[in-house]
Amino acid sequence: MGASTKDHHTVLITGGAGFVGSTMALKWKSADPSRRVICLDNLKRRGSELNLPRLRSAGIEFVHGDVRDANDLAALPKIDLMIECSAEPSVMAGYGSPTHYVTDTNLVGTINCLNLAARDEADTVFLSTSRVYPMHLVNRLAAEGTAQRFTIDAHTGIPGASAAGIGEDFPLTGLRSLYGATKLASELLVAEYAHIHGFRYVIDRCGVIAGPWQMGKTDQGFILLWLARHHWKQPLKYFGFGGTGKQVRDVLHVDDLFDLVVAQVASMDAMHARTFNVGGGLDNSVSLQELSAKCAAITGNTLDIGGEPLDREADIRLYVTDNTRITEATGWRPERNIDQLLADCHAWLAEHEQTLKPILG
Ligand SMILES: NC(=O)c1ccc[n+]([C@@H]2O[C@H](COP(=O)([O-])OP(=O)(O)OC[C@H]3O[C@@H](n4cnc5c(N)ncnc54)[C@H](O)[C@@H]3O)[C@@H](O)[C@H]2O)c1
């Protein structure tokens, strides 16, 4: 990888009070306390307000702002690096609910962020999603598998798909949810703005990310939701695909994502204009049934989990990230496995039980 030519003294993290954003901010600041780290967030995500004292005590500046409002971004000081973590991150957004929040935040918000990057020629890391890949094709990869999980059908002949999971050459034509569509449209805009205005960028299409300080809820952050429900012995259901909990995702520890972003930012010339699939990979994939068993083992609580056979909008049977391209480009690979991830999350739940119960319980 080539060396970065730029000093990233002032770092802006949009969505900086959210799960990924606050983790990035705190780690970024602690890696080099002389850096100026600014977090902008409108605190839409329930529980994001819990991060404000953590940010403050680390010497991170918080701006209560909204990416939908260009003025909020224009008022910021000159930045050297932007890590774009703001989003309406639910794949359910817009199904049976108004669509404007997801489109305004994930699309208009991206444009406003890009105008700021253009103003300052700031290096930009854009967190995209595996949800850019169309659902009907992703679902074709799921073989019946075992009683516990769907497995990957490695013989579909779909480009970019293999026994290792989904790579960047996977086709992009088809429906993908408003969340996925706004992210894919944003990816295109990032490239155009960077070309016109001459700033460097990298796009990471992330699969499921999890870790402490994720305010898991039914439509986003299911690992934390599952663990919390076990911890507090509260009901859970397997939705869709026959209601037996065979659906599979690979899961990335947020600390691994941070390590990757650090490596990417340190070599922006080499990373510039590239798009990577980033996730836990096959070794860190888990079905809901398997996750229930792991959560029961960690918490000591086994739940009686019922099934709801009907599929839900935008749900998919299986997604596993093929990390080949990012590993070849950077040497990065996930270092923390799913058991460590769950142990870290459980320690966090136990430590902050009183504060977290109203949100996660
Ligand atoms: N967590 C995952 O599994 C996952 C997977 C793939 C991609 N991503 C992407 O990573 C990024 C971070 O996701 P996360 O998991 O931290 O979600 P999160 O909801 O915890 O964080 C997003 C933050 O953005 C803020 N926000 C929402 N609308 C805003 C607006 N209009 N203006 C300013 N702030 C706003 C929210 O208050 C929240 O704090 C998102 O872009 C998401 O799409 C996340």
Side-chain angles (χ1 to χ4, degrees):
M1 290 193 292
S4 175
T5 50
K6 199 165 177 163
D7 170 32
H8 295 117
H9 176 71
T10 304
V11 182
L12 171 67
I13 302 185
T14 54
F19 160 53
V20 174
S22 63
T23 307
M24 293 274 162
L26 287 159
K27 285 178 162 284
W28 215 267
K29 182 76 179 170
S30 90
D32 180 355
S34 71
R35 269 198 192 113
R36 183 175 186 190
V37 179
I38 304 169
C39 285
L40 179 137
D41 201 297
N42 70 351
L43 303 180
K44 165 85 167 26
R45 181 69 178 256
R46 187 158 177 243
S48 58
E49 67 283 358
L50 297 181
N51 283 313
L52 299 187
R54 301 173 68 224
L55 298 175
R56 198 180 309 117
S57 64
I60 292 165
E61 293 164 52
F62 176 70
V63 175
H64 191 187
D66 198 308
V67 294
R68 294 171 298 172
D69 185 343
N71 295 323
D72 284 0
L73 292 155
L76 292 170
K78 182 181 183 315
I79 60 166
D80 305 306
L81 169 68
M82 176 169 62
I83 306 177
E84 220 289 74
C85 300
S86 69
E88 166 47 73
S90 170
V91 75
M92 300 290 291
Y95 290 97
S97 58
T99 57
H100 61 270
Y101 194 82
V102 62
T103 52
D104 288 355
T105 292
N106 294 9
L107 207 46
V108 177
T110 304
I111 293 169
N112 290 333
C113 290
L114 291 173
N115 278 318
L116 178 67
R119 183 196 76 181
D120 295 346
E121 289 183 21
D123 287 338
T124 297
V125 178
F126 183 73
L127 289 191
S128 188
T129 170
S130 57
R131 286 304 195 136
V132 299
Y133 297 116
M135 296 176 283
H136 76 287
L137 282 181
V138 171
N139 274 331
R140 271 183 44 200
L141 287 186
E144 228 13 75
T146 66
Q148 284 74 43
R149 64 150 63 201
F150 296 123
T151 51
I152 300 177
D153 178 354
H155 307 291
T156 56
I158 302 173
S162 73
I166 291 179
E168 294 82 354
D169 296 330
F170 202 79
L172 284 167
T173 305
L175 295 176
R176 54 179 61 79
S177 77
L178 267 182
Y179 171 61
T182 52
K183 285 288 190 175
L184 183 58
S186 290
E187 287 187 9
L188 299 176
L189 291 168
V190 173
E192 297 294 340
Y193 272 71
H195 177 68
I196 292 171
H197 296 284
F199 61 86
R200 302 181 296 184
Y201 74 91
V202 62
I203 293 171
D204 292 325
R205 288 179 179 160
C206 303
V208 171
I209 310 160
W213 297 98
Q214 184 172 32
M215 305 300 163
K217 52 191 183 113
T218 45
D219 58 344
Q220 208 257 351
F222 77 95
I223 296 279
L224 259 297
L225 176 82
W226 222 255
L227 188 62
R229 292 278 167 95
H230 278 80
H231 184 70
W232 283 298
K233 294 188 218 165
Q234 290 171 338
L236 275 176
K237 252 188 185 180
Y238 297 126
F239 279 98
F241 312 120
T244 57
K246 284 175 58 171
Q247 52 267 60
V248 169
R249 302 286 188 276
D250 65 323
V251 187
L252 182 68
H253 196 303
V254 68
D255 290 353
D256 277 319
L257 179 63
F258 174 76
D259 291 347
L260 172 63
V261 171
V262 168
Q264 290 178 313
V265 166
S267 56
M268 278 305 281
D269 283 341
M271 291 291 105
H272 174 53
R274 299 197 68 183
T275 298
F276 297 100
N277 286 0
V278 168
L282 189 58
D283 290 345
N284 292 308
S285 68
V286 69
S287 72
L288 281 182
Q289 257 192 63
E290 293 163 349
L291 182 62
S292 300
K294 285 179 184 295
C295 291
I298 287 187
T299 61
N301 299 326
T302 301
L303 302 184
D304 184 14
I305 304 179
E308 179 66 57
L310 282 186
D311 297 353
R312 288 195 300 186
E313 290 283 9
D315 204 359
I316 49 174
R317 287 171 180 258
L318 171 145
Y319 188 91
V320 176
T321 309
D322 181 351
N323 282 319
T324 302
R325 185 180 290 179
I326 187 68
T327 301
E328 281 175 3
T330 63
W332 172 91
R333 63 182 78 240
E335 296 291 338
R336 291 114 179 138
N337 68 23
I338 185 142
D339 293 320
Q340 182 179 345
L341 168 73
L342 290 171
D344 289 353
C345 294
H346 189 242
W348 170 68
L349 279 182
E351 188 184 342
H352 301 277
E353 194 151 41
Q354 298 310 319
T355 321
L356 294 174
K357 194 167 182 188
I359 292 161
L360 286 165

